[in-house]
Amino acid sequence: MSPPRVLVAGETLIDLLPERSGPLDRVERFVRRPGGAPANVAVALARLDEVPWFWTRLATDPLGDFLGRTLDAEGLPERFVERDADARTTLALVTHDEAAVPTFSFYRAEGPDARFETGTVPDDALDAVDWVVFGGVVLSTDAGRRALLDLVRRARERDCTVVFDPNARPELWDEGAFERTIDEVLPLVDVVKASPDDLELAGFDAGVEPEALARAVCERGPHTTFLTLGGDGSLAIAADGAPWGPAERAHPGYAVDVVDTTGAGDAFLAGTVAALAEGRSLEEVLGFANAVAARTTTGSGAMTALPDREAVEAFRERGEHGEREERD
């Protein structure tokens, strides 16, 4: 078999989902689900028939064993799935507001995602792939930041397209550290997928129009920015250096009955990478990625709700929910 075209790097953890919406101190029962934004992206890509390599670290405790079995069942190659006997699986307690928007509380002492090691992915693997995808959570630790930035720099030397999701989680960062790290990362990446909330925490002015916000990201280094706008869909700004640019495109999204938005951004990112890797137009990329995300929000949990390609294409073809009206 030929090697994957995509390498995803980052954390795999346990999401503890509440039995109902509301403040964490009022939730009595939680359901265990596999999670972690990069893990969600890797699994979503596999379900979309773009099976990636996934560089992650798992503990050897029972929860780590559960996560390992989950990744294996999704068909992800084992080559870069490391096991760490000195770590304990990271937990993320998830709560939802009335709009099903999640917030996260992390229990990460000795978590394997804080113990990434530089050089784990060799140069020959980077020579084989076209796309490298990573997120912001692992960057919040010194070891993780060193390891992932080393990966990114070597990937750029080999003409990989580097895709970054800031995935802001404020409680994991000291004051000002997230903004400083994003300042360091943006000149090293080609494509950014973010929400206005991510970018506001990174020091951008989220009060401007979405198009201006996306352009501001491109001015810091990336040639393309995908901005997710929740119920208003998404947009993409591509600068002169983009293979598909310069361009400005938007998609209004799909009207669905939302159950849980956990993992919707990860689903969108996977849809984006899968469509770009297939050489689709920027308009088609947005339509496909929005459909993957919208379909994901109709189920509970992040990874467990991710659709396969057949489900996404059926969702788009039926059109029973319809695309939203174009934004003014």
Side-chain angles (χ1 to χ4, degrees), residues 202-249:
F204 288 87
D205 180 4
V208 301
E209 290 297 314
E211 293 82 0
L213 181 58
R215 288 193 194 95
V217 176
C218 289
E219 290 169 0
R220 301 272 290 277
H223 60 57
T224 304
T225 299
F226 290 89
L227 197 63
T228 56
L229 302 171
D232 291 327
S234 62
L235 62 85
I237 298 291
D240 289 345
W244 39 80
E248 177 181 322
R249 300 289 184 269

Short mmCIF file of all heavy atoms in Angstrom, two decimals, residues 202-249:
data_model
loop_
_atom_site.label_atom_id
_atom_site.label_comp_id
_atom_site.label_asym_id
_atom_site.label_seq_id
_atom_site.Cartn_x
_atom_site.Cartn_y
_atom_site.Cartn_z
N ALA A 202 -5.95 34.93 20.61
CA ALA A 202 -4.60 35.02 20.06
C ALA A 202 -4.17 36.46 19.82
O ALA A 202 -3.09 36.70 19.29
CB ALA A 202 -4.50 34.24 18.75
N GLY A 203 -5.02 37.42 20.20
CA GLY A 203 -4.64 38.82 20.09
C GLY A 203 -5.18 39.55 18.89
O GLY A 203 -4.88 40.73 18.70
N PHE A 204 -6.00 38.90 18.08
CA PHE A 204 -6.61 39.56 16.92
C PHE A 204 -7.86 40.32 17.36
O PHE A 204 -8.47 40.01 18.39
CB PHE A 204 -6.98 38.53 15.85
CG PHE A 204 -5.81 37.95 15.12
CD1 PHE A 204 -5.14 36.83 15.63
CD2 PHE A 204 -5.36 38.51 13.93
CE1 PHE A 204 -4.06 36.30 14.95
CE2 PHE A 204 -4.28 37.97 13.25
CZ PHE A 204 -3.63 36.86 13.77
N ASP A 205 -8.24 41.30 16.55
CA ASP A 205 -9.44 42.08 16.80
C ASP A 205 -10.63 41.34 16.21
O ASP A 205 -10.89 41.41 15.02
CB ASP A 205 -9.31 43.48 16.18
CG ASP A 205 -10.55 44.34 16.42
OD1 ASP A 205 -11.47 43.89 17.13
OD2 ASP A 205 -10.58 45.47 15.90
N ALA A 206 -11.37 40.62 17.06
CA ALA A 206 -12.50 39.83 16.58
C ALA A 206 -13.72 40.69 16.33
O ALA A 206 -14.76 40.18 15.89
CB ALA A 206 -12.84 38.72 17.57
N GLY A 207 -13.64 41.99 16.58
CA GLY A 207 -14.76 42.86 16.33
C GLY A 207 -14.90 43.33 14.90
O GLY A 207 -15.91 43.94 14.54
N VAL A 208 -13.90 43.03 14.07
CA VAL A 208 -13.96 43.43 12.66
C VAL A 208 -14.81 42.43 11.88
O VAL A 208 -15.19 41.37 12.38
CB VAL A 208 -12.55 43.53 12.06
CG1 VAL A 208 -11.71 44.53 12.82
CG2 VAL A 208 -11.86 42.16 12.05
N GLU A 209 -15.11 42.76 10.63
CA GLU A 209 -15.84 41.84 9.78
C GLU A 209 -15.05 40.55 9.58
O GLU A 209 -13.81 40.57 9.58
CB GLU A 209 -16.11 42.48 8.42
CG GLU A 209 -17.12 43.61 8.46
CD GLU A 209 -18.49 43.13 8.91
OE1 GLU A 209 -18.94 42.07 8.39
OE2 GLU A 209 -19.09 43.78 9.77
N PRO A 210 -15.73 39.41 9.44
CA PRO A 210 -15.01 38.14 9.31
C PRO A 210 -13.97 38.14 8.19
O PRO A 210 -12.88 37.57 8.35
CB PRO A 210 -16.14 37.13 9.02
CG PRO A 210 -17.34 37.72 9.68
CD PRO A 210 -17.20 39.20 9.50
N GLU A 211 -14.30 38.77 7.06
CA GLU A 211 -13.34 38.80 5.95
C GLU A 211 -12.06 39.52 6.36
O GLU A 211 -10.94 39.09 6.02
CB GLU A 211 -13.96 39.47 4.73
CG GLU A 211 -15.11 38.69 4.09
CD GLU A 211 -16.44 38.89 4.80
OE1 GLU A 211 -16.49 39.64 5.81
OE2 GLU A 211 -17.44 38.29 4.35
N ALA A 212 -12.21 40.63 7.09
CA ALA A 212 -11.05 41.38 7.54
C ALA A 212 -10.24 40.58 8.56
O ALA A 212 -9.00 40.64 8.58
CB ALA A 212 -11.48 42.72 8.14
N LEU A 213 -10.93 39.85 9.41
CA LEU A 213 -10.24 39.01 10.40
C LEU A 213 -9.42 37.93 9.71
O LEU A 213 -8.25 37.69 10.07
CB LEU A 213 -11.28 38.38 11.33
CG LEU A 213 -10.76 37.49 12.45
CD1 LEU A 213 -9.80 38.24 13.35
CD2 LEU A 213 -11.94 36.94 13.27
N ALA A 214 -9.99 37.28 8.71
CA ALA A 214 -9.26 36.24 7.98
C ALA A 214 -8.06 36.83 7.24
O ALA A 214 -6.98 36.22 7.19
CB ALA A 214 -10.19 35.52 7.01
N ARG A 215 -8.24 38.01 6.65
CA ARG A 215 -7.11 38.66 5.97
C ARG A 215 -5.99 38.99 6.95
O ARG A 215 -4.79 38.87 6.63
CB ARG A 215 -7.57 39.93 5.26
CG ARG A 215 -8.42 39.69 4.03
CD ARG A 215 -8.58 40.97 3.22
NE ARG A 215 -9.65 40.82 2.24
CZ ARG A 215 -10.91 41.21 2.44
NH1 ARG A 215 -11.24 41.78 3.59
NH2 ARG A 215 -11.83 41.03 1.52
N ALA A 216 -6.36 39.40 8.16
CA ALA A 216 -5.35 39.73 9.16
C ALA A 216 -4.51 38.53 9.51
O ALA A 216 -3.30 38.65 9.77
CB ALA A 216 -6.04 40.29 10.41
N VAL A 217 -5.12 37.34 9.53
CA VAL A 217 -4.35 36.12 9.77
C VAL A 217 -3.37 35.88 8.63
O VAL A 217 -2.19 35.58 8.85
CB VAL A 217 -5.29 34.92 9.96
CG1 VAL A 217 -4.48 33.63 10.12
CG2 VAL A 217 -6.20 35.13 11.17
N CYS A 218 -3.84 36.02 7.40
CA CYS A 218 -2.97 35.80 6.24
C CYS A 218 -1.79 36.78 6.22
O CYS A 218 -0.70 36.43 5.76
CB CYS A 218 -3.77 35.92 4.94
SG CYS A 218 -4.92 34.56 4.64
N GLU A 219 -2.00 37.97 6.73
CA GLU A 219 -0.92 38.95 6.77
C GLU A 219 0.21 38.55 7.71
O GLU A 219 1.31 39.10 7.63
CB GLU A 219 -1.48 40.32 7.18
CG GLU A 219 -2.35 40.95 6.10
CD GLU A 219 -3.11 42.17 6.60
OE1 GLU A 219 -2.95 42.52 7.81
OE2 GLU A 219 -3.86 42.77 5.82
N ARG A 220 -0.07 37.57 8.56
CA ARG A 220 0.94 37.11 9.53
C ARG A 220 1.72 35.90 9.02
O ARG A 220 2.53 35.35 9.76
CB ARG A 220 0.25 36.77 10.85
CG ARG A 220 -0.52 37.94 11.47
CD ARG A 220 0.33 38.80 12.35
NE ARG A 220 0.67 38.08 13.55
CZ ARG A 220 -0.14 38.00 14.63
NH1 ARG A 220 -1.32 38.60 14.61
NH2 ARG A 220 0.26 37.35 15.69
N GLY A 221 1.43 35.43 7.78
CA GLY A 221 2.22 34.33 7.24
C GLY A 221 1.47 33.30 6.44
O GLY A 221 1.90 32.93 5.34
N PRO A 222 0.36 32.74 6.93
CA PRO A 222 -0.36 31.71 6.15
C PRO A 222 -0.89 32.28 4.84
O PRO A 222 -1.27 33.44 4.76
CB PRO A 222 -1.52 31.32 7.07
CG PRO A 222 -1.10 31.75 8.44
CD PRO A 222 -0.25 32.96 8.25
N HIS A 223 -0.94 31.44 3.79
CA HIS A 223 -1.49 31.94 2.53
C HIS A 223 -3.00 31.77 2.46
O HIS A 223 -3.65 32.39 1.62
CB HIS A 223 -0.81 31.30 1.32
CG HIS A 223 -0.90 29.80 1.21
ND1 HIS A 223 -2.09 29.11 1.18
CD2 HIS A 223 0.09 28.86 1.08
CE1 HIS A 223 -1.86 27.82 1.05
NE2 HIS A 223 -0.55 27.63 1.00
N THR A 224 -3.59 30.92 3.36
CA THR A 224 -5.03 30.71 3.34
C THR A 224 -5.56 30.61 4.76
O THR A 224 -4.95 29.94 5.60
CB THR A 224 -5.40 29.42 2.59
OG1 THR A 224 -4.85 29.47 1.26
CG2 THR A 224 -6.91 29.25 2.48
N THR A 225 -6.69 31.26 5.01
CA THR A 225 -7.36 31.17 6.30
C THR A 225 -8.80 30.74 6.09
O THR A 225 -9.54 31.35 5.31
CB THR A 225 -7.35 32.52 7.05
OG1 THR A 225 -6.00 32.91 7.29
CG2 THR A 225 -8.09 32.41 8.38
N PHE A 226 -9.20 29.67 6.77
CA PHE A 226 -10.59 29.23 6.83
C PHE A 226 -11.16 29.67 8.17
O PHE A 226 -10.61 29.31 9.22
CB PHE A 226 -10.69 27.71 6.68
CG PHE A 226 -10.35 27.20 5.32
CD1 PHE A 226 -9.03 26.86 5.00
CD2 PHE A 226 -11.33 27.05 4.34
CE1 PHE A 226 -8.70 26.39 3.74
CE2 PHE A 226 -11.01 26.58 3.07
CZ PHE A 226 -9.70 26.25 2.77
N LEU A 227 -12.23 30.44 8.13
CA LEU A 227 -12.84 30.95 9.34
C LEU A 227 -14.21 30.31 9.52
O LEU A 227 -15.08 30.43 8.65
CB LEU A 227 -12.98 32.48 9.25
CG LEU A 227 -13.23 33.25 10.55
CD1 LEU A 227 -12.05 33.07 11.50
CD2 LEU A 227 -13.45 34.72 10.25
N THR A 228 -14.40 29.60 10.65
CA THR A 228 -15.70 28.97 10.92
C THR A 228 -16.56 29.96 11.71
O THR A 228 -16.09 30.60 12.65
CB THR A 228 -15.52 27.68 11.71
OG1 THR A 228 -14.78 27.93 12.92
CG2 THR A 228 -14.77 26.65 10.88
N LEU A 229 -17.83 30.03 11.35
CA LEU A 229 -18.72 31.06 11.89
C LEU A 229 -19.97 30.47 12.52
O LEU A 229 -21.03 31.11 12.57
CB LEU A 229 -19.11 32.04 10.78
CG LEU A 229 -17.93 32.73 10.09
CD1 LEU A 229 -18.41 33.50 8.87
CD2 LEU A 229 -17.20 33.66 11.06
N GLY A 230 -19.88 29.24 13.02
CA GLY A 230 -21.01 28.62 13.67
C GLY A 230 -22.19 28.48 12.73
O GLY A 230 -22.08 27.97 11.61
N GLY A 231 -23.35 28.98 13.16
CA GLY A 231 -24.56 28.88 12.35
C GLY A 231 -24.54 29.69 11.09
O GLY A 231 -25.40 29.52 10.22
N ASP A 232 -23.55 30.58 10.95
CA ASP A 232 -23.44 31.39 9.74
C ASP A 232 -22.50 30.79 8.70
O ASP A 232 -22.15 31.45 7.72
CB ASP A 232 -22.95 32.81 10.09
CG ASP A 232 -24.00 33.60 10.86
OD1 ASP A 232 -25.20 33.40 10.59
OD2 ASP A 232 -23.63 34.40 11.72
N GLY A 233 -22.09 29.56 8.90
CA GLY A 233 -21.28 28.88 7.89
C GLY A 233 -19.80 29.15 8.05
O GLY A 233 -19.25 29.10 9.16
N SER A 234 -19.14 29.47 6.96
CA SER A 234 -17.69 29.65 6.98
C SER A 234 -17.27 30.48 5.79
O SER A 234 -18.04 30.70 4.85
CB SER A 234 -16.98 28.28 6.93
OG SER A 234 -17.30 27.62 5.72
N LEU A 235 -16.01 30.94 5.84
CA LEU A 235 -15.45 31.64 4.70
C LEU A 235 -13.97 31.30 4.58
O LEU A 235 -13.36 30.79 5.53
CB LEU A 235 -15.66 33.16 4.80
CG LEU A 235 -15.02 33.91 5.97
CD1 LEU A 235 -13.56 34.29 5.67
CD2 LEU A 235 -15.79 35.18 6.27
N ALA A 236 -13.42 31.58 3.42
CA ALA A 236 -12.00 31.35 3.18
C ALA A 236 -11.41 32.55 2.46
O ALA A 236 -12.02 33.10 1.53
CB ALA A 236 -11.78 30.09 2.34
N ILE A 237 -10.25 32.97 2.91
CA ILE A 237 -9.47 34.01 2.25
C ILE A 237 -8.15 33.39 1.84
O ILE A 237 -7.44 32.82 2.68
CB ILE A 237 -9.21 35.21 3.18
CG1 ILE A 237 -10.53 35.88 3.58
CG2 ILE A 237 -8.28 36.21 2.52
CD1 ILE A 237 -11.25 36.61 2.47
N ALA A 238 -7.82 33.48 0.56
CA ALA A 238 -6.55 32.96 0.05
C ALA A 238 -5.76 34.11 -0.55
O ALA A 238 -6.27 34.87 -1.37
CB ALA A 238 -6.80 31.89 -1.01
N ALA A 239 -4.51 34.25 -0.12
CA ALA A 239 -3.64 35.31 -0.60
C ALA A 239 -2.98 34.92 -1.92
O ALA A 239 -3.20 33.82 -2.45
CB ALA A 239 -2.59 35.62 0.47
N ASP A 240 -2.15 35.81 -2.43
CA ASP A 240 -1.52 35.59 -3.74
C ASP A 240 -0.73 34.29 -3.80
O ASP A 240 -0.68 33.64 -4.83
CB ASP A 240 -0.60 36.76 -4.07
CG ASP A 240 -1.37 38.04 -4.37
OD1 ASP A 240 -2.58 37.94 -4.61
OD2 ASP A 240 -0.76 39.12 -4.36
N GLY A 241 -0.09 33.91 -2.70
CA GLY A 241 0.76 32.72 -2.73
C GLY A 241 0.04 31.41 -2.63
O GLY A 241 0.66 30.34 -2.72
N ALA A 242 -1.27 31.42 -2.49
CA ALA A 242 -2.03 30.18 -2.34
C ALA A 242 -2.18 29.47 -3.68
O ALA A 242 -2.39 30.12 -4.71
CB ALA A 242 -3.41 30.47 -1.77
N PRO A 243 -2.08 28.13 -3.69
CA PRO A 243 -2.27 27.40 -4.95
C PRO A 243 -3.64 27.64 -5.57
O PRO A 243 -3.82 27.48 -6.77
CB PRO A 243 -2.11 25.93 -4.52
CG PRO A 243 -1.34 25.97 -3.25
CD PRO A 243 -1.74 27.25 -2.57
N TRP A 244 -4.64 28.01 -4.76
CA TRP A 244 -6.01 28.23 -5.23
C TRP A 244 -6.40 29.70 -5.14
O TRP A 244 -7.57 30.03 -5.15
CB TRP A 244 -6.96 27.38 -4.39
CG TRP A 244 -6.55 27.36 -2.95
CD1 TRP A 244 -6.76 28.31 -1.99
CD2 TRP A 244 -5.78 26.34 -2.33
NE1 TRP A 244 -6.19 27.95 -0.81
CE2 TRP A 244 -5.57 26.73 -0.98
CE3 TRP A 244 -5.24 25.12 -2.76
CZ2 TRP A 244 -4.84 25.96 -0.07
CZ3 TRP A 244 -4.52 24.37 -1.86
CH2 TRP A 244 -4.34 24.78 -0.54
N GLY A 245 -5.41 30.58 -5.05
CA GLY A 245 -5.72 32.00 -4.86
C GLY A 245 -5.03 32.88 -5.87
O GLY A 245 -4.35 32.40 -6.78
N PRO A 246 -5.21 34.21 -5.68
CA PRO A 246 -5.97 34.84 -4.59
C PRO A 246 -7.48 34.62 -4.77
O PRO A 246 -7.97 34.53 -5.88
CB PRO A 246 -5.62 36.32 -4.71
CG PRO A 246 -5.30 36.50 -6.18
CD PRO A 246 -4.65 35.22 -6.62
N ALA A 247 -8.18 34.53 -3.62
CA ALA A 247 -9.61 34.26 -3.69
C ALA A 247 -10.26 34.61 -2.37
O ALA A 247 -9.62 34.62 -1.31
CB ALA A 247 -9.87 32.79 -4.03
N GLU A 248 -11.55 34.89 -2.44
CA GLU A 248 -12.39 35.08 -1.26
C GLU A 248 -13.69 34.34 -1.51
O GLU A 248 -14.41 34.65 -2.46
CB GLU A 248 -12.64 36.56 -1.01
CG GLU A 248 -13.56 36.84 0.16
CD GLU A 248 -13.82 38.32 0.37
OE1 GLU A 248 -12.87 39.11 0.18
OE2 GLU A 248 -14.98 38.69 0.70
N ARG A 249 -13.98 33.36 -0.67
CA ARG A 249 -15.18 32.55 -0.86
C ARG A 249 -15.90 32.40 0.49
O ARG A 249 -15.28 32.43 1.54
CB ARG A 249 -14.83 31.17 -1.40
CG ARG A 249 -14.10 31.18 -2.75
CD ARG A 249 -15.03 31.59 -3.88
NE ARG A 249 -14.35 31.49 -5.17
CZ ARG A 249 -13.68 32.47 -5.75
NH1 ARG A 249 -13.57 33.66 -5.14
NH2 ARG A 249 -13.10 32.29 -6.93
#
